[in-house]
Amino acid sequence: ASDVDALCACKILQALFQCDHVQYTLVPVSGWQELETAFLEHKDQFKYFVFINCGANVDLLEILQPEEDTYFFVCDSHRPINVVNVYNETQVKLLVKQGDDLDVPAYDDIFRDEEDEEELSEDESDGSEPSDKRRRFEEVPFCLQNEVRALCSFTLSFCFPFTIFFHLFVCFPPFRWAIVGLTDQWVQDKITQMKYVTDIGVLQRHVSRHNHRNEDEENSLSIDCMRIAFEYDLRLALYQHWSLYESLCNTSYTSANLKLWSVQGQKRLQEFLADMGLPLKQVKQKFNSMDMSLKENLREMIEESANKFGMKDLRVQTFSIHFGFKNKFLASDIVYATASLMESIEKEGPETTNFIKALDSLSRGNLDKLHQGLDLAKKQLCAIQQTVASCICTNLVISQGPFLYCSLMEGMPDVKLFSKPVSLCLLSKYLLKSFVCSTKNKRCKLLPLIMAAPMDVEQGTVIMVGIPPETESSDKKNFFGRAFEKAADSTNSRTLHNHFDMSIIELKTEDRSKFLDALISLLS
């Protein structure tokens, strides 16, 4: 799949294959249509397929119709998992982190003998089914289907990278990719803060153990080697590669809490900087050019002032990666850079070009691509904050009853960027955080958000994403995927459910009104 977490898993898998001299073919896919096409092209050459961050939430055997000697290994963080995949013990192998309990209902609760249904023809069951004498899950009543999906719908963090990391640590320590995979899940708001802190602590113990082995003289590393260090750092996007002022303005956490889209918010920013005693001349130049006397105690100064302005979580646990003296990156820096390369709207050759560039940026030998990604990430973050400010100031976020709704109009600045799923999801999460901080309506603070953006003007389509409410107790479960399916079916709306994330769909513009009406009725 085309996301940073999947790329990190891919890098780990590539390294492991290289160690064992295993030949493989890597095929990037961005949706179900591309996945089916890729499988048809390669099914005669290969019998074993590994799906990274795709494939778990649909019935793979029904969609792909493989031969009996074809096997799928699925490592996917998308939820809910299709129960047919869970109970298929022959061709579909789900790879999940050891200790994770899927809490799937009992087999007999969701399947039953077909021989009890005399009207069913004998050819409805075949060898690829979970059982030759079981009916399909889709025939279960809708109320039970919802229960099954609810039980299976929990968030799994950086599934594949961390699993491989634990099992093969002694042979190969893929720290940086596991760290970046986890950080991507946190940046994209796919896991809770508690889950992030727990898993970052586990990684810290392994990194510390590995670093300790290199402290003695016999095993000391060259200064040019890669070094990974755990540290408490600022929750400011790309600040070490930007100016502190621009980072404060374009980080979701600080922008939302200071309400920087308003005149009053800009005044609060000036007061915040004054409280720290930082001159504007210093904070508006590149971080690397700031006076050393200011940078030495910068984190403590910012954290102390942030507490006064209600930003008590500005410090976060993370890792930094050093390549010699010159190049230092926080894990979040790499996440933003790689994601921006993946969804770059600049046309540079085949569709797979962005994927290859993003994958290359995770290698130490391609730091030029990583720096290119940082530049794109700065533009993306600026575009997101400008769009958030525009949506809030023009009251584009409206309450539709059971959810909030915002639609971007064709012609808005940078609207083309948000036709990409990851960028639109990031914008949606930033917008919801900012809206919750700006509104006085307590009910609206607890509502999820549906956001739409123009997809293809010529074909008259929009891309739509649904995200869960922005609450501290939120478990990050997202049930919009099933709701979108039901709303589309009940209104005969022309939709395309092509994304691996079921909460993202494409919709014909003229069908949007009746689709939203059906959603309101369904979720009320």
Side-chain angles (χ1 to χ4, degrees), residues 466-520:
I467 60 173
E470 177 64 29
T471 58
E472 292 182 0
S473 60
S474 175
D475 54 9
K476 309 303 178 185
K477 291 180 181 178
N478 191 331
F479 297 104
F480 273 115
R482 182 58 177 162
F484 285 166
E485 289 179 7
K486 293 295 294 181
D489 291 341
S490 64
T491 58
N492 293 320
S493 298
R494 290 163 292 177
T495 59
L496 179 61
H497 302 263
N498 186 45
H499 297 273
F500 297 128
D501 187 341
M502 306 298 279
S503 62
I504 304 174
I505 64 166
E506 296 171 28
L507 173 72
K508 280 288 186 180
T509 306
E510 53 263 32
D511 292 340
R512 179 162 43 180
S513 295
K514 63 179 182 180
F515 178 81
L516 289 174
D517 289 342
L519 269 180
I520 294 171

Side-chain angles (χ1 to χ4, degrees), residues 131-377:
S131 172
D132 291 343
K133 296 182 178 181
R134 300 289 182 177
R135 72 170 186 164
R136 307 300 303 184
F137 169 69
E138 285 72 12
E139 296 173 24
V140 179
F142 175 64
C143 58
L144 184 55
Q145 290 184 30
N146 280 342
E147 180 184 358
V148 171
R149 287 188 173 90
L151 290 171
C152 296
S153 180
F154 72 99
T155 303
L156 179 68
S157 66
F158 58 98
C159 166
F160 188 59
F162 213 44
T163 303
I164 297 296
F165 170 80
F166 273 138
H167 284 72
L168 297 170
F169 165 76
V170 176
C171 303
F172 175 70
F175 294 118
R176 66 185 186 277
W177 297 322
I179 290 167
V180 173
L182 170 61
T183 306
D184 174 63
Q185 294 273 323
W186 178 67
V187 167
Q188 299 290 340
D189 212 24
K190 295 178 181 178
I191 58 175
T192 62
Q193 180 72 16
M194 182 61 68
K195 177 68 173 172
Y196 172 76
V197 171
T198 301
D199 289 338
I200 211 78
V202 175
L203 272 173
Q204 179 197 1
R205 291 194 293 272
H206 286 281
V207 170
S208 298
R209 184 173 64 182
H210 178 74
N211 289 343
H212 180 70
R213 292 160 52 193
N214 299 316
E215 289 178 356
D216 58 275
E217 294 183 1
E218 292 183 3
N219 297 318
S220 60
L221 295 176
S222 166
I223 194 62
D224 291 328
C225 289
M226 181 189 72
R227 292 171 293 127
I228 300 176
F230 173 83
E231 57 187 64
Y232 284 88
D233 213 310
L234 298 174
R235 192 177 180 176
L236 297 177
L238 309 178
Y239 79 94
Q240 296 184 16
H241 309 276
W242 216 347
S243 71
L244 187 61
Y245 183 84
E246 289 174 302
S247 181
L248 283 167
C249 291
N250 293 290
T251 297
S252 171
Y253 181 73
T254 51
S255 175
N257 280 277
L258 294 174
K259 303 177 184 178
L260 295 183
W261 54 85
S262 65
V263 175
Q264 188 63 32
Q266 290 295 325
K267 289 182 180 179
R268 281 174 57 82
L269 176 60
Q270 301 298 326
E271 293 172 2
F272 178 60
L273 294 173
D275 188 78
M276 291 187 291
L278 295 177
L280 277 178
K281 182 180 179 180
Q282 288 289 326
V283 297
K284 287 191 174 182
Q285 63 182 336
K286 292 195 85 171
F287 180 80
N288 289 335
S289 302
M290 289 180 64
D291 288 347
M292 288 299 298
S293 58
L294 292 176
K295 290 200 292 184
E296 285 178 357
N297 301 313
L298 182 64
R299 296 174 189 172
E300 291 74 14
M301 293 165 57
I302 292 179
E303 187 177 2
E304 182 180 350
S305 296
N307 289 331
K308 299 177 184 178
F309 284 76
M311 297 182 288
K312 298 181 180 181
D313 297 322
L314 194 58
R315 192 177 71 158
V316 66
Q317 301 175 42
T318 186
F319 289 91
S320 61
I321 302 175
H322 303 250
F323 300 113
F325 281 116
K326 184 178 180 181
N327 296 292
K328 177 186 176 182
F329 306 94
L330 295 178
S332 58
D333 297 341
I334 300 176
V335 169
Y336 284 119
T338 306
S340 297
L341 287 171
M342 182 87 73
E343 294 203 332
S344 173
I345 57 177
E346 300 173 3
K347 296 293 183 180
E348 296 183 9
E351 294 182 0
T352 57
T353 301
N354 287 346
F355 179 89
I356 299 300
K357 289 175 66 175
L359 190 65
D360 287 345
S361 71
L362 293 174
S363 301
R364 179 185 175 178
N366 294 291
L367 291 181
D368 56 330
K369 288 187 174 63
L370 187 58
H371 284 289
Q372 180 184 351
L374 290 173
D375 292 335
L376 289 174

Side-chain angles (χ1 to χ4, degrees), residues 44-57:
D44 294 331
Q45 301 171 267
F46 302 98
K47 298 301 180 184
Y48 297 95
F49 296 84
V50 180
F51 292 168
I52 302 177
N53 253 14
C54 58
N57 49 8

Side-chain angles (χ1 to χ4, degrees), residues 389-407:
S390 176
C391 291
I392 292 180
C393 293
T394 56
N395 297 318
L396 286 182
V397 182
I398 57 177
S399 174
Q400 293 282 19
F403 57 84
L404 301 171
Y405 176 71
C406 178
S407 177

